Amino acid sequence: MTDYRVAPGEAQEDQVTAAIEKFTSQIPSSVYLAAALASMGVSVAYKAQKKTDMALFIGQWAAPFLILGLYNKMVKQHGSDAAINKSL
């Protein structure tokens, strides 16, 4: 069976990705956690006001905020081109 995985250092990210990572790595990871918790709180407030559609809409923001927080943490620890940068 053929192995199609990309080896470390085999592919490089483009300048757009590098610019995004440079900007987002400056944001503390706790900001994403706070945004997720805030969206849950706002969702509960809308639900208490019987605005169910808005409560569901806002409540669904929590997962993307947490995923962005994970991405942010991984960029800080590893970076997209960490294997290439270590060899330079």
Side-chain angles (χ1 to χ4, degrees):
M1 178 181 251
T2 305
D3 185 8
Y4 293 107
R5 291 179 286 185
V6 177
E10 189 176 357
Q12 273 188 304
E13 293 291 345
D14 60 359
Q15 292 301 312
V16 174
T17 303
I20 291 169
E21 288 178 355
K22 184 175 176 85
F23 175 75
T24 59
S25 67
Q26 297 172 3
I27 301 170
S29 297
S30 58
V31 169
Y32 296 102
L33 179 59
L37 292 172
S39 71
M40 288 184 237
V42 171
S43 176
V44 168
Y46 276 122
K47 188 71 172 172
Q49 296 173 3
K50 307 271 193 239
K51 296 181 180 180
T52 306
D53 290 340
M54 189 59 95
L56 291 173
F57 177 68
I58 301 294
Q60 290 178 352
W61 293 0
F65 283 136
L66 293 173
I67 292 169
L68 286 169
L70 285 173
Y71 175 78
N72 181 38
K73 191 68 151 182
M74 289 175 61
V75 166
K76 286 180 181 178
Q77 291 178 346
H78 307 290
S80 62
D81 294 331
I84 293 169
N85 293 337
K86 287 180 184 174
S87 66
L88 294 177

